[in-house]
C-alpha cells in the first residue's frame, strides 16, 4: 500500500514538473525576443557619397567586422563640412578646418579615420584630429594658385564618404595701399555735393573699402571698373564749417592681418554753423523677422527648449531715422564660450560682414534683409549683429543682436530594448518549482537622445 502511494505521489510530481517546464518553454517560443529597428537621420549633402579613395593609399584602415553597435546597423557614412566656402580665396598660412562627424553613438560619433590629398598627389595623408568637437585640420599648399582638396572619411563598419573642395591660394604678405585722388592734398576746401575718390592697390582684391568723416557713419565706397578707383558722393554742406578728417579703411581677404587705414584732412566752407544731431535710429520688432534669440531662452530658463538653426537662416529688420539711414551692416561672429545659465558669451573671430542695401519699405519703415547659408560654417554658437547708422555728423548707431546655435549635422536618436533569450531560461523552471516564486521578465531600455531641438521645416 505504501509502495503504491509513493509511486502515485512521484508520478504526480513528475507530471507537475513536466507540465510547468513545457508551459514555460511554450511561452518563450510564443513570445520571441523583441526585434529592434533603428532609424538614422542625416543631412543630404551634395558632396557626401559612399565612394572611397580609389587609386590612392588607404593607409592605417583596419579591417573591422560589420557588427552593429548595440544592435544597430550602421549604413550611413560620415559627413564632411569645411570651414571655407567652396571656390573661395584662402591666404597662405591660413588653417582649413574640417568638421567630420559620424552617426554612431557607440564611437562618440567620430570617424575611424580621415584622409586627404591635394590635386593629383598619389598618396593620402591622415587628417590631424584637433581633439575638439570633431574638428580636423588640413595643411594647405604653400604656393599660389587654384588647388583641389580631396577628403575621405570612413566609419567603424567601412562606410566611406568623400568631399571635394576647390580653393584659390593667395599670398598672405601683400598689404593693400590707399592713395587719395579727391581730395589729393591736405586741407583742400570742399563745398556742396562732393565725390570722394581713392585708389586701392592689391593682388586679389579687398573684401571692402569704407570711408568715414570724423565720427560719422562708415560708408561703403563703390568701385568704378573704368577708372579702377573707389568713390562715394557726399553732401559736405551738411557738415559744420571748418576742419574735418576723412578716414578710409581697406580690408583684403586676409582681414585679420590686412586691414589698412589712411587719413587726410579737408576744410568746409558754406556748411552748417553748428553740428546737426538728430534722434537715433529706431527699429520695429513687429515688422521684423529674426531667428529666435537663444539669450531669451536662457533668461527664461528654457535653454534645452531652444530650436537650433540650420541651412539658410533669414534675417529681416525694419528700421527708420528722422534724417534717413546712412549704412546698415550685417556681421556674424563666432562665440567661443557660452554660459547656458547666465547667457554670458565670449565673442571669437569675425565670420564675415556684409553691407546691406535697402530691400523694400513697410510704410515709413525701411526693410533690410539678409539670408545666411550656414552650411558654409561649422556647427557652433554665433552672434549675428545689425549695425544701423544714421546720417548725423556724429553718427547715431543702433545694434540689433541675435545669439543662435547652428546645427547642420543631425544627431541620432535611438532606443534599445533587449530581453534575455529563451535559451537563457531553460533551467529556470526547476528553480521556480523549488522556490515556488515567479520572477518577471523586465526589459532593459536604453535611450540616446539629442540635447537640442531642431526647428521644424516650414514651406
Amino acid at each position: 500500500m505504501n509502495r503504491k502511494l509513493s509511486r502515485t505521489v512521484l508520478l504526480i510530481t513528475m507530471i507537475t514538473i513536466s507540465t510547468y517546464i513545457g508551459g514555460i518553454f511554450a511561452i518563450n517560443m510564443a513570445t520571441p525576443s523583441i526585434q529592434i529597428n533603428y532609424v538614422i537621420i542625416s543631412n543630404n549633402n551634395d558632396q557626401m557619397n559612399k565612394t572611397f579613395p580609389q587609386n590612392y593609399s588607404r593607409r592605417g584602415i583596419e579591417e573591422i567586422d560589420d557588427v552593429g553597435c548595440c544592435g544597430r546597423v550602421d549604413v550611413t557614412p560620415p559627413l564632411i563640412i569645411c570651414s571655407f566656402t567652396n571656390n573661395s580665396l584662402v591666404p597662405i598660412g591660413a588653417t582649413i578646418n574640417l568638421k567630420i562627424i559620424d552617426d554612431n553613438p557607440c564611437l562618440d560619433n567620430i570617424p575611424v579615420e580621415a584622409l586627404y590629398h591635394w590635386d593629383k598627389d598619389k598618396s593620402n595623408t591622415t587628417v590631424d584630429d584637433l581633439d575638439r568637437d570633431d574638428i580636423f585640420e588640413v595643411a594647405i599648399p604653400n604656393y599660389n594658385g587654384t588647388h583641389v582638396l580631396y577628403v575621405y572619411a570612413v566609419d567603424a563598419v567601412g562606410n566611406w564618404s568623400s568631399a571635394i573642395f576647390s580653393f584659390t591660394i593667395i599670398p598672405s604678405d601683400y598689404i593693400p595701399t590707399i592713395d587719395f585722388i579727391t581730395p589729393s592734398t591736405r586741407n583742400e576746401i570742399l563745398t556742396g555735393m562732393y565725390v570722394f575718390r581713392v585708389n586701392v592697390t592689391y593682388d586679389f582684391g579687398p573684401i571692402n573699402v569704407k570711408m568715414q568723416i570724423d565720427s560719422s557713419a562708415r560708408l561703403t565706397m563703390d568701385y568704378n571698373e573704368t577708372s579702377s578707383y573707389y568713390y562715394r558722393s557726399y553732401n559736405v554742406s551738411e557738415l559744420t564749417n571748418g576742419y574735418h578728417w576723412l578716414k578710409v579703411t581697406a580690408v583684403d581677404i586676409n582681414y585679420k592681418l590686412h586691414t589698412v587705414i589712411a587719413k587726410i584732412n579737408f576744410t568746409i566752407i558754406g556748411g552748417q554753423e553748428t553740428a546737426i544731431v538728430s534722434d537715433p535710429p529706431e527699429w520695429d520688432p513687429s515688422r521684423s523677422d529674426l531667428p529666435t534669440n537663444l539669450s531669451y531662452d536662457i533668461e527664461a530658463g528654457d535653454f534645452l527648449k531652444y530650436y537650433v538653426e540650420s541651412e539658410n537662416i533669414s534675417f529681416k529688420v525694419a528700421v527708420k531715422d528722422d534724417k534717413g539711414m546712412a549704412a546698415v551692416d550685417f556681421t556674424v561672429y563666432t562665440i567661443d564660450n557660452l554660459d547656458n545659465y547666465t547667457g554670458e558669451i565670449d565673442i571669437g573671430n569675425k565670420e564675415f560682414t556684409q553691407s546691406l542695401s535697402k530691400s523694400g519699405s513697410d510704410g515709413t519703415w525701411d526693410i533690410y534683409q539678409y539670408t545666411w547659408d550656414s552650411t558654409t560654417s561649422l556647427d557652433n554658437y554665433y552672434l549675428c549683429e545689425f549695425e544701423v547708422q544714421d546720417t548725423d555728423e556724429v553718427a547715431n548707431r543702433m545694434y540689433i543682436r541675435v545669439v543662435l546655435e547652428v546645427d547642420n549635422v543631425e544627431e541620432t536618436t535611438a532606443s534599445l530594448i533587449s530581453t534575455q533569450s529563451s535559451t537563457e531560461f531553460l533551467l529556470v523552471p526547476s528553480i521556480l518549482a523549488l522556490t515556488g516564486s515567479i520572477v518577471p521578465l523586465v526589459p532593459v531600455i536604453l535611450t540616446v537622445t539629442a540635447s537640442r531641438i531642431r526647428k521644424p521645416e516650414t514651406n
Side-chain angles (χ1 to χ4, degrees), residues 180-285:
F180 289 98
I181 301 175
T182 56
S184 60
T185 59
R186 293 183 178 276
N187 207 27
E188 286 190 26
I189 297 176
L190 312 182
T191 60
M193 186 64 69
Y194 189 83
V195 180
F196 293 95
R197 298 181 179 91
V198 295
N199 183 43
V200 181
T201 59
Y202 46 82
D203 270 353
F204 289 90
I207 294 176
N208 55 50
V209 176
K210 290 189 175 184
M211 59 168 277
Q212 183 180 26
I213 298 176
D214 300 329
S215 58
S216 62
R218 293 181 291 268
L219 305 174
T220 300
M221 303 188 76
D222 299 317
Y223 182 67
N224 186 310
E225 294 184 358
T226 302
S227 58
S228 300
Y229 58 68
Y230 289 82
Y231 70 96
R232 179 85 187 205
S233 297
Y234 195 95
N235 188 0
V236 297
S237 63
E238 295 183 351
L239 300 174
T240 54
N241 291 325
Y243 180 83
H244 296 273
W245 278 99
L246 170 67
K247 181 174 71 174
V248 175
T249 303
V251 182
D252 72 2
I253 186 65
N254 194 359
Y255 65 88
K256 294 179 183 178
L257 299 176
H258 298 168
T259 297
V260 179
I261 299 175
K263 292 182 178 182
I264 192 171
N265 65 321
F266 59 90
T267 301
I268 296 297
I269 296 178
Q272 305 296 321
E273 293 298 324
T274 59
I276 300 175
V277 179
S278 63
D279 295 330
E282 304 174 68
W283 80 291
D284 186 353

Side-chain angles (χ1 to χ4, degrees), residues 17-121:
I17 293 174
S18 300
T19 302
Y20 192 88
I21 293 175
I24 293 297
F25 184 80
I27 290 174
N28 279 277
M29 291 297 291
T31 311
S33 300
I34 298 175
Q35 298 297 316
I36 306 164
N37 293 321
Y38 284 86
V39 177
I40 301 171
I41 304 175
S42 64
N43 283 2
N44 290 326
N45 191 304
D46 292 337
Q47 297 167 329
M48 184 180 74
N49 52 61
K50 296 183 179 180
T51 62
F52 56 88
Q54 296 180 359
N55 301 325
Y56 296 101
S57 170
R58 293 172 58 180
R59 299 178 305 174
I61 300 296
E62 298 179 358
E63 293 295 332
I64 301 177
D65 293 335
D66 188 6
V67 177
C69 169
C70 305
R72 68 187 291 275
V73 177
D74 188 352
V75 297
T76 308
L79 180 64
I80 302 171
I81 302 175
C82 184
S83 59
F84 281 92
T85 306
N86 199 30
N87 298 317
S88 63
L89 301 177
V90 179
I92 289 179
T95 298
I96 292 180
N97 288 340
L98 301 170
K99 188 176 184 68
I100 306 177
I101 188 167
D102 193 35
D103 63 351
N104 193 333
C106 296
L107 293 175
D108 298 324
N109 293 322
I110 60 176
V112 171
E113 188 163 353
L115 307 171
Y116 76 92
H117 70 86
W118 286 97
D119 302 324
K120 297 181 180 180
D121 290 346

Side-chain angles (χ1 to χ4, degrees), residues 426-441:
L426 291 180
L427 299 179
V428 172
S430 60
I431 300 175
L432 296 179
L434 295 176
T435 61
S437 61
I438 299 178
V439 180
L441 307 182

Side-chain angles (χ1 to χ4, degrees), residues 270-435:
Q272 305 296 321
E273 293 298 324
T274 59
I276 300 175
V277 179
S278 63
D279 295 330
E282 304 174 68
W283 80 291
D284 186 353
S286 65
R287 289 179 169 86
S288 304
D289 187 9
L290 297 172
T292 302
N293 195 330
L294 177 56
S295 298
Y296 295 159
D297 284 348
I298 292 177
E299 292 174 3
D302 293 332
F303 175 71
L304 294 180
K305 295 182 180 180
Y306 171 78
Y307 284 99
V308 299
E309 301 290 338
S310 61
E311 299 181 355
N312 291 326
I313 306 174
S314 298
F315 299 82
K316 171 187 171 184
V317 293
V319 296
K320 69 178 180 179
D321 185 76
D322 55 350
K323 287 188 61 183
M325 217 64 61
V328 176
D329 293 334
F330 179 77
T331 305
V332 174
Y333 301 90
T334 59
I335 294 178
D336 289 341
N337 293 292
L338 181 144
D339 189 322
N340 55 19
Y341 292 100
T342 65
E344 295 181 358
I345 60 175
D346 293 333
I347 299 177
N349 295 327
K350 181 194 298 182
E351 190 78 0
F352 68 90
T353 187
Q354 179 69 46
S355 296
L356 304 182
S357 298
K358 177 180 172 182
S359 59
S361 300
D362 185 354
T364 60
W365 297 88
D366 295 335
I367 304 299
Y368 291 83
Q369 294 178 285
Y370 186 80
T371 300
W372 174 27
D373 180 8
S374 66
T375 60
T376 62
S377 301
L378 298 177
D379 289 355
N380 197 6
Y381 295 105
Y382 291 93
L383 171 65
C384 304
E385 174 186 272
F386 285 90
E387 181 183 6
V388 183
Q389 304 169 72
D390 67 11
T391 59
D392 290 6
E393 184 170 332
V394 179
N396 293 303
R397 290 179 173 84
M398 176 178 63
Y399 296 91
I400 304 170
R401 297 185 174 103
V402 176
V403 175
L404 53 80
E405 181 182 359
V406 168
D407 181 12
N408 286 300
V409 181
E410 296 191 14
E411 306 258 353
T412 300
T413 301
S415 295
L416 171 64
I417 304 175
S418 63
T419 60
Q420 291 171 292
S421 65
S422 59
T423 56
E424 293 177 295
F425 289 92
L426 291 180
L427 299 179
V428 172
S430 60
I431 300 175
L432 296 179
L434 295 176
T435 61

